[in-house]
mmCIF file of all heavy atoms in Angstrom:
data_model
loop_
_atom_site.group_PDB
_atom_site.id
_atom_site.type_symbol
_atom_site.label_atom_id
_atom_site.label_comp_id
_atom_site.label_asym_id
_atom_site.label_seq_id
_atom_site.Cartn_x
_atom_site.Cartn_y
_atom_site.Cartn_z
ATOM 1 N N ILE A 162 -9.390 6.657 -0.365
ATOM 2 C CA ILE A 162 -9.617 5.683 0.752
ATOM 3 C C ILE A 162 -11.174 5.475 0.870
ATOM 4 O O ILE A 162 -11.670 4.358 1.047
ATOM 5 C CB ILE A 162 -9.076 6.272 2.000
ATOM 6 C CG1 ILE A 162 -7.432 6.154 1.995
ATOM 7 C CG2 ILE A 162 -9.598 5.578 3.185
ATOM 8 C CD1 ILE A 162 -6.777 6.834 3.081
ATOM 9 N N SER A 165 -12.198 3.285 -2.019
ATOM 10 C CA SER A 165 -11.695 1.944 -1.802
ATOM 11 C C SER A 165 -12.534 1.237 -0.811
ATOM 12 O O SER A 165 -12.874 0.064 -0.961
ATOM 13 C CB SER A 165 -10.270 1.994 -1.260
ATOM 14 O OG SER A 165 -9.386 2.703 -2.132
ATOM 15 N N THR A 183 4.920 -4.752 3.463
ATOM 16 C CA THR A 183 3.697 -4.512 4.244
ATOM 17 C C THR A 183 3.582 -5.470 5.513
ATOM 18 O O THR A 183 3.027 -5.043 6.530
ATOM 19 C CB THR A 183 2.419 -4.573 3.379
ATOM 20 O OG1 THR A 183 2.421 -5.900 2.759
ATOM 21 C CG2 THR A 183 2.381 -3.526 2.391
ATOM 22 N N VAL A 187 2.856 -3.048 8.581
ATOM 23 C CA VAL A 187 1.468 -2.878 9.086
ATOM 24 C C VAL A 187 0.785 -4.242 9.251
ATOM 25 O O VAL A 187 -0.333 -4.402 8.871
ATOM 26 C CB VAL A 187 0.612 -2.009 8.132
ATOM 27 C CG1 VAL A 187 0.890 -0.518 8.364
ATOM 28 C CG2 VAL A 187 0.801 -2.302 6.686
ATOM 29 N N LEU A 191 -3.369 -4.830 8.684
ATOM 30 C CA LEU A 191 -3.840 -5.689 7.552
ATOM 31 C C LEU A 191 -4.728 -6.736 8.095
ATOM 32 O O LEU A 191 -5.719 -7.186 7.547
ATOM 33 C CB LEU A 191 -2.655 -6.317 6.821
ATOM 34 C CG LEU A 191 -1.830 -5.300 5.973
ATOM 35 C CD1 LEU A 191 -0.602 -5.985 5.488
ATOM 36 C CD2 LEU A 191 -2.657 -4.791 4.820
ATOM 37 N N LEU A 194 -8.070 -5.166 8.782
ATOM 38 C CA LEU A 194 -8.733 -5.043 7.560
ATOM 39 C C LEU A 194 -9.401 -6.342 7.101
ATOM 40 O O LEU A 194 -10.521 -6.329 6.704
ATOM 41 C CB LEU A 194 -7.727 -4.535 6.431
ATOM 42 C CG LEU A 194 -8.329 -4.063 5.151
ATOM 43 C CD1 LEU A 194 -9.195 -2.866 5.287
ATOM 44 C CD2 LEU A 194 -7.103 -3.599 4.289
ATOM 45 N N LEU A 261 -6.685 -5.626 -3.302
ATOM 46 C CA LEU A 261 -5.925 -4.487 -2.721
ATOM 47 C C LEU A 261 -4.421 -4.889 -2.708
ATOM 48 O O LEU A 261 -3.975 -5.888 -2.184
ATOM 49 C CB LEU A 261 -6.376 -4.187 -1.298
ATOM 50 C CG LEU A 261 -5.570 -3.168 -0.529
ATOM 51 C CD1 LEU A 261 -5.946 -1.812 -0.957
ATOM 52 C CD2 LEU A 261 -5.738 -3.331 1.010
ATOM 53 N N VAL A 262 -3.612 -3.990 -3.404
ATOM 54 C CA VAL A 262 -2.135 -4.176 -3.364
ATOM 55 C C VAL A 262 -1.392 -2.922 -2.803
ATOM 56 O O VAL A 262 -2.012 -1.895 -2.821
ATOM 57 C CB VAL A 262 -1.508 -4.449 -4.747
ATOM 58 C CG1 VAL A 262 -2.264 -5.736 -5.340
ATOM 59 C CG2 VAL A 262 -1.893 -3.299 -5.710
ATOM 60 N N ALA A 263 -0.225 -3.133 -2.319
ATOM 61 C CA ALA A 263 0.563 -2.000 -1.844
ATOM 62 C C ALA A 263 2.021 -2.211 -2.285
ATOM 63 O O ALA A 263 2.400 -3.338 -2.395
ATOM 64 C CB ALA A 263 0.515 -1.849 -0.343
ATOM 65 N N LEU A 264 2.789 -1.196 -2.508
ATOM 66 C CA LEU A 264 4.121 -1.321 -3.092
ATOM 67 C C LEU A 264 4.173 -2.299 -4.113
ATOM 68 O O LEU A 264 5.006 -3.289 -4.146
ATOM 69 C CB LEU A 264 5.109 -1.732 -1.983
ATOM 70 C CG LEU A 264 5.397 -0.608 -0.885
ATOM 71 C CD1 LEU A 264 4.469 -0.804 0.322
ATOM 72 C CD2 LEU A 264 6.824 -0.844 -0.487
ATOM 73 N N GLU A 265 3.283 -2.374 -5.121
ATOM 74 C CA GLU A 265 3.236 -3.317 -6.133
ATOM 75 C C GLU A 265 3.985 -2.825 -7.380
ATOM 76 O O GLU A 265 4.235 -1.665 -7.535
ATOM 77 C CB GLU A 265 1.723 -3.557 -6.535
ATOM 78 C CG GLU A 265 1.493 -4.681 -7.427
ATOM 79 C CD GLU A 265 2.122 -5.948 -7.023
ATOM 80 O OE1 GLU A 265 3.304 -6.172 -7.231
ATOM 81 O OE2 GLU A 265 1.409 -6.921 -6.565
ATOM 82 N N VAL A 280 -8.409 -3.208 -9.217
ATOM 83 C CA VAL A 280 -7.219 -3.114 -8.416
ATOM 84 C C VAL A 280 -7.200 -1.816 -7.598
ATOM 85 O O VAL A 280 -7.452 -0.724 -8.137
ATOM 86 C CB VAL A 280 -5.878 -3.236 -9.216
ATOM 87 C CG1 VAL A 280 -4.726 -2.991 -8.336
ATOM 88 C CG2 VAL A 280 -5.864 -4.518 -10.011
ATOM 89 N N ILE A 281 -7.090 -1.994 -6.307
ATOM 90 C CA ILE A 281 -6.812 -0.867 -5.457
ATOM 91 C C ILE A 281 -5.377 -0.828 -5.043
ATOM 92 O O ILE A 281 -4.881 -1.819 -4.480
ATOM 93 C CB ILE A 281 -7.750 -0.881 -4.185
ATOM 94 C CG1 ILE A 281 -9.185 -0.949 -4.474
ATOM 95 C CG2 ILE A 281 -7.459 0.265 -3.273
ATOM 96 C CD1 ILE A 281 -10.098 -1.386 -3.253
ATOM 97 N N ALA A 282 -4.628 0.282 -5.280
ATOM 98 C CA ALA A 282 -3.236 0.328 -5.001
ATOM 99 C C ALA A 282 -2.916 1.397 -3.897
ATOM 100 O O ALA A 282 -3.527 2.422 -4.051
ATOM 101 C CB ALA A 282 -2.461 0.691 -6.217
ATOM 102 N N ILE A 283 -2.012 1.027 -2.979
ATOM 103 C CA ILE A 283 -1.516 2.073 -2.098
ATOM 104 C C ILE A 283 -0.115 2.304 -2.519
ATOM 105 O O ILE A 283 0.730 1.419 -2.478
ATOM 106 C CB ILE A 283 -1.556 1.605 -0.594
ATOM 107 C CG1 ILE A 283 -2.921 1.151 -0.248
ATOM 108 C CG2 ILE A 283 -1.053 2.714 0.284
ATOM 109 C CD1 ILE A 283 -3.058 0.584 1.244
ATOM 110 N N ASP A 284 0.196 3.515 -3.019
ATOM 111 C CA ASP A 284 1.480 3.822 -3.601
ATOM 112 C C ASP A 284 1.785 5.285 -3.475
ATOM 113 O O ASP A 284 0.993 6.140 -3.850
ATOM 114 C CB ASP A 284 1.445 3.406 -5.104
ATOM 115 C CG ASP A 284 2.847 3.437 -5.759
ATOM 116 O OD1 ASP A 284 3.669 4.232 -5.318
ATOM 117 O OD2 ASP A 284 2.973 2.757 -6.787
ATOM 118 N N LEU A 285 2.906 5.571 -2.823
ATOM 119 C CA LEU A 285 3.314 6.982 -2.524
ATOM 120 C C LEU A 285 3.719 7.758 -3.834
ATOM 121 O O LEU A 285 3.694 8.975 -3.798
ATOM 122 C CB LEU A 285 4.480 7.045 -1.559
ATOM 123 C CG LEU A 285 4.010 6.934 -0.123
ATOM 124 C CD1 LEU A 285 5.177 6.584 0.753
ATOM 125 C CD2 LEU A 285 3.468 8.224 0.308
ATOM 126 N N ASN A 286 3.914 6.971 -5.000
ATOM 127 C CA ASN A 286 4.422 7.687 -6.114
ATOM 128 C C ASN A 286 3.189 7.743 -7.140
ATOM 129 O O ASN A 286 2.781 6.849 -7.737
ATOM 130 C CB ASN A 286 5.499 6.897 -6.728
ATOM 131 C CG ASN A 286 5.916 7.459 -8.128
ATOM 132 O OD1 ASN A 286 5.460 8.545 -8.607
ATOM 133 N ND2 ASN A 286 6.834 6.762 -8.743
ATOM 134 N N THR A 291 2.055 1.481 -11.539
ATOM 135 C CA THR A 291 0.917 0.940 -10.644
ATOM 136 C C THR A 291 -0.085 1.946 -10.297
ATOM 137 O O THR A 291 -1.340 1.748 -10.486
ATOM 138 C CB THR A 291 1.555 0.473 -9.357
ATOM 139 O OG1 THR A 291 2.486 -0.670 -9.596
ATOM 140 C CG2 THR A 291 0.565 -0.023 -8.359
ATOM 141 N N ALA A 295 -3.975 1.251 -11.752
ATOM 142 C CA ALA A 295 -4.996 0.806 -10.731
ATOM 143 C C ALA A 295 -6.317 1.575 -10.913
ATOM 144 O O ALA A 295 -6.420 2.556 -11.544
ATOM 145 C CB ALA A 295 -4.471 1.082 -9.367
ATOM 146 N N ILE A 297 -8.249 2.313 -8.416
ATOM 147 C CA ILE A 297 -8.217 3.345 -7.291
ATOM 148 C C ILE A 297 -6.759 3.412 -6.834
ATOM 149 O O ILE A 297 -6.297 2.380 -6.411
ATOM 150 C CB ILE A 297 -9.209 3.030 -6.137
ATOM 151 C CG1 ILE A 297 -10.697 2.960 -6.657
ATOM 152 C CG2 ILE A 297 -9.112 4.078 -5.011
ATOM 153 C CD1 ILE A 297 -11.678 2.534 -5.648
ATOM 154 N N THR A 298 -6.183 4.618 -6.674
ATOM 155 C CA THR A 298 -4.869 4.786 -6.112
ATOM 156 C C THR A 298 -4.833 5.581 -4.977
ATOM 157 O O THR A 298 -5.291 6.791 -4.995
ATOM 158 C CB THR A 298 -3.834 5.447 -7.249
ATOM 159 O OG1 THR A 298 -4.087 4.612 -8.418
ATOM 160 C CG2 THR A 298 -2.468 5.278 -6.685
ATOM 161 N N ILE A 299 -4.436 5.076 -3.838
ATOM 162 C CA ILE A 299 -4.283 5.787 -2.578
ATOM 163 C C ILE A 299 -2.865 6.285 -2.489
ATOM 164 O O ILE A 299 -1.894 5.514 -2.175
ATOM 165 C CB ILE A 299 -4.669 4.939 -1.437
ATOM 166 C CG1 ILE A 299 -6.064 4.273 -1.504
ATOM 167 C CG2 ILE A 299 -4.505 5.789 -0.142
ATOM 168 C CD1 ILE A 299 -6.433 3.241 -0.431
ATOM 169 N N VAL A 300 -2.662 7.561 -2.771
ATOM 170 C CA VAL A 300 -1.197 8.103 -2.711
ATOM 171 C C VAL A 300 -0.907 8.486 -1.342
ATOM 172 O O VAL A 300 -1.201 9.598 -0.849
ATOM 173 C CB VAL A 300 -1.102 9.310 -3.711
ATOM 174 C CG1 VAL A 300 0.380 9.819 -3.692
ATOM 175 C CG2 VAL A 300 -1.513 8.978 -5.095
ATOM 176 N N ASP A 301 -0.510 7.593 -0.557
ATOM 177 C CA ASP A 301 -0.217 7.694 0.847
ATOM 178 C C ASP A 301 0.710 6.605 1.326
ATOM 179 O O ASP A 301 0.835 5.593 0.667
ATOM 180 C CB ASP A 301 -1.572 7.674 1.695
ATOM 181 C CG ASP A 301 -1.463 8.322 3.025
ATOM 182 O OD1 ASP A 301 -0.376 8.974 3.349
ATOM 183 O OD2 ASP A 301 -2.401 8.235 3.759
ATOM 184 N N ASN A 302 1.307 6.770 2.490
ATOM 185 C CA ASN A 302 2.084 5.797 3.065
ATOM 186 C C ASN A 302 1.311 4.712 3.659
ATOM 187 O O ASN A 302 0.248 4.982 4.308
ATOM 188 C CB ASN A 302 2.975 6.424 4.196
ATOM 189 C CG ASN A 302 4.244 5.559 4.558
ATOM 190 O OD1 ASN A 302 4.098 4.333 4.683
ATOM 191 N ND2 ASN A 302 5.337 6.189 4.696
ATOM 192 N N VAL A 303 1.652 3.406 3.478
ATOM 193 C CA VAL A 303 0.808 2.297 3.977
ATOM 194 C C VAL A 303 0.590 2.472 5.463
ATOM 195 O O VAL A 303 -0.493 2.082 6.059
ATOM 196 C CB VAL A 303 1.415 0.938 3.712
ATOM 197 C CG1 VAL A 303 1.175 0.486 2.287
ATOM 198 C CG2 VAL A 303 2.843 0.844 4.150
ATOM 199 N N VAL A 304 1.578 2.991 6.244
ATOM 200 C CA VAL A 304 1.443 3.141 7.684
ATOM 201 C C VAL A 304 0.297 4.078 8.065
ATOM 202 O O VAL A 304 -0.242 3.946 9.166
ATOM 203 C CB VAL A 304 2.732 3.440 8.445
ATOM 204 C CG1 VAL A 304 3.879 2.484 8.088
ATOM 205 C CG2 VAL A 304 3.179 4.852 8.075
ATOM 206 N N ARG A 305 0.035 5.033 7.230
ATOM 207 C CA ARG A 305 -1.162 5.871 7.543
ATOM 208 C C ARG A 305 -2.440 5.493 6.800
ATOM 209 O O ARG A 305 -3.481 5.575 7.367
ATOM 210 C CB ARG A 305 -0.810 7.371 6.970
ATOM 211 C CG ARG A 305 0.297 7.958 7.749
ATOM 212 C CD ARG A 305 0.395 9.430 7.305
ATOM 213 N NE ARG A 305 0.674 9.667 5.898
ATOM 214 C CZ ARG A 305 1.806 9.794 5.346
ATOM 215 N NH1 ARG A 305 2.952 9.774 6.198
ATOM 216 N NH2 ARG A 305 2.127 9.871 4.030
ATOM 217 N N ALA A 306 -2.198 4.894 5.588
ATOM 218 C CA ALA A 306 -3.392 4.587 4.745
ATOM 219 C C ALA A 306 -4.158 3.312 5.267
ATOM 220 O O ALA A 306 -5.426 3.337 5.297
ATOM 221 C CB ALA A 306 -2.971 4.287 3.277
ATOM 222 N N VAL A 307 -3.541 2.272 5.670
ATOM 223 C CA VAL A 307 -4.319 1.071 6.086
ATOM 224 C C VAL A 307 -5.182 1.444 7.280
ATOM 225 O O VAL A 307 -6.334 1.020 7.248
ATOM 226 C CB VAL A 307 -3.294 -0.156 6.202
ATOM 227 C CG1 VAL A 307 -4.153 -1.401 6.549
ATOM 228 C CG2 VAL A 307 -2.530 -0.434 4.837
ATOM 229 N N LEU A 310 -8.148 3.265 6.196
ATOM 230 C CA LEU A 310 -9.055 2.457 5.377
ATOM 231 C C LEU A 310 -9.969 1.579 6.404
ATOM 232 O O LEU A 310 -11.154 1.423 6.086
ATOM 233 C CB LEU A 310 -8.261 1.509 4.409
ATOM 234 C CG LEU A 310 -9.013 0.687 3.446
ATOM 235 C CD1 LEU A 310 -10.026 1.523 2.631
ATOM 236 C CD2 LEU A 310 -8.032 -0.130 2.525
#
Side-chain angles (χ1 to χ4, degrees):
I162 287 169
S165 301
T183 55
V187 280
L191 290 170
L194 189 60
L261 173 78
V262 299
L264 288 95
E265 186 52 282
V280 178
I281 300 169
I283 305 175
D284 191 332
L285 276 161
N286 177 4
T291 296
I297 301 177
T298 310
I299 302 171
V300 181
D301 201 7
N302 198 316
V303 285
V304 302
R305 296 187 299 266
V307 181
L310 184 55

